[in-house]
Amino acid sequence: ESVLLPFTVIGLFMLLILFEPDYSTSMLIMALAFGIMFVAGVKVKVFAMGVGVLSLFAIPFVLFSKYRMMRL
């Protein structure tokens, strides 16, 4: 069973939402997607790798945006 396709689709939607200044909606979608995948039986190791990859992409979005830095 591959989770690459669902992660890709969710990632594309999150990326589109992140280009708007709406960080909280993208995090909500990510949390819901992870919850659904957890209930579907995806292993915790896959979640750990997903969180690591998402962190690599999320940190620059926060650090290089004045709007997001002001909200922290």
Side-chain angles (χ1 to χ4, degrees):
E1 71 190 73
S2 176
V3 295
L4 186 60
L5 181 62
F7 276 133
T8 303
V9 172
I10 293 164
L12 288 174
F13 282 115
M14 285 180 53
L15 187 64
L16 289 173
I17 294 169
L18 281 173
F19 281 121
E20 296 293 322
D22 197 0
Y23 196 63
S24 60
T25 301
S26 63
M27 292 298 111
L28 178 65
I29 289 173
M30 180 190 69
L32 288 171
F34 276 8
I36 291 169
M37 287 186 202
F38 180 75
V39 170
V42 176
K43 296 179 182 180
V44 175
K45 181 180 177 182
V46 175
F47 285 118
M49 291 186 327
V51 169
V53 170
L54 285 174
S55 297
L56 291 175
F57 288 107
I59 291 172
F61 269 102
V62 173
L63 293 179
F64 297 121
S65 173
K66 285 183 179 182
Y67 173 76
R68 291 184 182 109
M69 285 299 289
M70 288 173 29
R71 294 192 58 162
L72 291 178

